[in-house]
Amino acid sequence: KRRAQEADVAEPRNKLARPALSLPTDPALYSGPFPFYRRPSELGCFSLDAQRQYHGDAHALRYYSPPPTYGQGPKFDLRDGYPDRYQPRDEEVREGLDHLLRWLLDHRGQLEGGPGWLAGAIVTWRGHLTKLLTTPYEQQEGWQLAASRFQGTLYLSEVETPAARAQRLARSPLLRELMYMGYKFEQYMCADKPESSPDPSGDVNTNVAFCSVLRSRLGNHPLLFSGEVDCTDPQAPSTQPPTCYVELKTAKEMHRPGHWRSFYRHKLLKWWAQSFLLGVPNVVAGFRNPEGFVCSLKTFPTMEMFEYVRNDRDGWNPSVCMNFCAAFLSFAQNTVVQDDPRLVHLFSWEPGSPVTVSKHQDAPYAFLPTWYVEAMTQ
Ligand code: A3P
Ligand code: MG
Ligand code: MG
């Protein structure tokens, strides 16, 4: 039986060692002890405005402002304002790593970790790492990650699979409204200023985003990644990011033990992976009834999520998620040997199969923009 470690044999990068051709994803191969994961520290942040323009500041950060806990519970109508007060982001625009690269370009001179830290790091979106973490348990959606090495650094940028694109273009009216409802919940729970209250009368514009940029390390892989943050809690015990951040989520109201079980096995895994990577300590869930109203809230501490599936044979295991991610990063580091911003190794995965690789030059897969490559070459 092949063991997870075998994918690591080409470490360190060595032109004589032949990298593996594929990487298996079976959970049983990754059930070792939990690997080292450095406590993520925030290096900086940026905001995207209503026109999706980049700003090197925190103006889009919102403040956690839950309803009072006394009296009746909330009655948030998540369908209110749909579709007339909805300004959805144009999903045809492929942004790749652009916003993160803009931040990196502006701050490359001030990075901690010493000279050469960036050259040994992996740069990507938190959302891409989330997909890697959940891969051993994912049975529905595959992914593709494009990888390029430039000045030593390994950049990873997701490519929309043909199946995902087809699904997006065929998204049903019901699903579109459900997407809106997730953002509408944020509007009911967040204020624009720490001392003010939520204002659900305005538009829901999904171009707006606050992104935190963090440094971490998984095993021997230094990481620099960015992730969208829903809000900060002005009353959090520590005001230091990312520990003051709060992730907001909606889920269906559940009434039978079987519904909760399934929620713990599937949704909670994704919530855990997303928030654990960034170091967000709490996820606040709003449960919506069939009429689209949130009438109850529940806080799930990220570090307690695994307890819901610890004794479940069909549950997930954080060690498996992190060990697989580490194995994938080693696999990618060993595969992408040539330093060339126009060369792309495309890692592809479909449920039930191993991760495979193909090699491409320039368009359509190259993703490091000329403005970035030229500025970094100065
Ligand atoms: P939910 O929180 O209710 O899932 P996030 O939770 O990551 O902050 O995202 C906010 C909302 O964006 C989600 O609300 C959901 O409505 C929408 N969303 C995020 N990822 C999505 C995806 N992969 N497909 C569809 N909608 C998504
Ligand atoms: Mg969000
Ligand atoms: Mg959220």
Side-chain angles (χ1 to χ4, degrees):
K1 202 160 134 196
R2 295 192 60 204
R3 294 177 52 244
Q5 271 69 15
E6 282 183 37
D8 286 16
V9 288
E11 186 103 15
R13 294 196 298 280
N14 171 346
K15 296 223 164 63
L16 298 172
R18 220 183 288 273
L21 296 176
S22 70
L23 181 73
T25 65
D26 320 48
L29 300 175
Y30 299 97
S31 62
F34 196 86
F36 175 81
Y37 186 65
R38 181 193 196 266
R39 185 164 45 86
S41 53
E42 185 172 82
L43 299 175
C45 65
F46 58 87
S47 294
L48 303 174
D49 67 19
Q51 286 75 42
R52 202 68 181 173
Q53 293 304 302
Y54 176 99
H55 300 267
D57 57 40
H59 85 261
L61 177 59
R62 292 184 291 179
Y63 298 84
Y64 182 61
S65 176
T69 46
Y70 51 82
Q72 295 133 43
K75 261 201 199 75
F76 300 149
D77 181 0
L78 300 187
R79 300 165 69 190
D80 178 52
Y82 186 81
D84 21 295
R85 282 183 286 133
Y86 186 27
Q87 290 169 253
R89 177 173 71 85
D90 180 358
E91 292 175 272
E92 278 296 299
V93 180
R94 313 270 31 118
E95 298 176 325
L97 299 182
D98 291 9
H99 299 305
L100 173 55
L101 297 179
R102 169 73 192 276
W103 182 91
L104 196 47
L105 199 52
D106 291 347
H107 297 87
R108 67 187 189 279
Q110 303 121 254
L111 287 182
E112 46 177 78
W117 182 84
L118 182 59
I122 294 171
V123 171
T124 191
W125 284 111
R126 179 269 312 269
H128 302 356
L129 296 172
T130 304
K131 288 201 177 175
L132 289 172
L133 259 62
T134 59
T135 294
Y137 300 106
E138 178 63 44
Q139 299 190 345
Q140 311 268 337
E141 282 162 24
W143 48 254
Q144 291 190 311
L145 276 175
S148 290
R149 190 180 298 285
F150 173 52
Q151 295 181 347
T153 309
L154 187 69
Y155 295 85
L156 298 176
S157 179
E158 193 181 16
V159 173
E160 188 177 40
T161 64
R165 177 177 167 77
Q167 267 194 30
R168 172 168 63 80
L169 296 176
R171 198 179 282 147
S172 67
L174 191 80
L175 227 58
R176 285 166 199 263
E177 189 167 13
L178 267 175
M179 266 183 83
Y180 170 82
M181 291 163 72
Y183 295 110
K184 185 68 188 176
F185 177 59
E186 297 176 1
Q187 197 187 48
Y188 280 112
M189 297 287 291
C190 298
D192 286 339
K193 301 202 177 82
E195 66 276 10
S196 63
S197 299
D199 173 13
S201 73
D203 288 7
V204 170
N205 185 322
T206 58
N207 288 292
V208 181
F210 168 80
C211 295
S212 170
V213 182
L214 303 106
R215 171 189 169 187
S216 182
R217 179 161 57 86
L218 173 56
N220 57 350
H221 302 289
L223 302 172
L224 189 153
F225 59 90
S226 176
E228 208 213 299
V229 168
D230 289 340
C231 56
T232 185
D233 181 358
Q235 317 223 42
S238 160
T239 57
Q240 194 181 100
T243 58
C244 51
Y245 293 153
V246 179
E247 172 61 42
L248 302 171
K249 291 288 184 195
T250 66
K252 253 198 193 134
E253 216 170 65
M254 289 166 284
H255 300 285
R256 304 147 93 85
H259 295 159
W260 284 100
R261 214 13 65 227
S262 162
F263 164 81
Y264 300 147
R265 286 175 182 165
H266 302 105
K267 257 201 151 157
L268 218 49
L269 163 61
K270 299 202 170 172
W271 292 7
W272 171 79
Q274 181 187 33
S275 289
F276 177 76
L277 279 164
L278 212 141
V280 175
N282 290 297
V283 177
V284 175
F287 296 101
R288 55 178 149 73
N289 65 21
E291 290 73 46
F293 282 77
V294 164
C295 303
S296 63
L297 302 170
K298 182 174 164 70
T299 299
F300 292 90
T302 305
M303 293 315 231
E304 293 171 20
M305 291 179 181
F306 174 51
E307 301 308 327
Y308 291 94
V309 291
R310 192 190 280 277
N311 299 314
D312 184 346
R313 325 171 108 275
D314 295 316
W316 44 275
N317 186 319
S319 301
V320 169
C321 299
M322 298 303 279
N323 285 325
F324 171 75
C325 186
F328 173 81
L329 297 179
S330 296
F331 177 51
Q333 287 285 21
N334 293 328
T335 304
V336 186
V337 176
Q338 245 194 88
D339 201 294
D340 178 352
R342 297 167 58 177
L343 178 69
V344 169
H345 280 81
L346 184 67
F347 294 88
S348 303
W349 179 72
E350 284 301 330
S353 303
V355 181
T356 58
V357 206
S358 56
K359 225 172 135 175
H360 308 266
Q361 191 80 31
D362 296 315
Y365 289 113
F367 60 87
L368 290 171
T370 320
W371 57 260
Y372 181 73
V373 171
E374 285 180 352
M376 292 289 279
T377 309
Q378 299 308 310

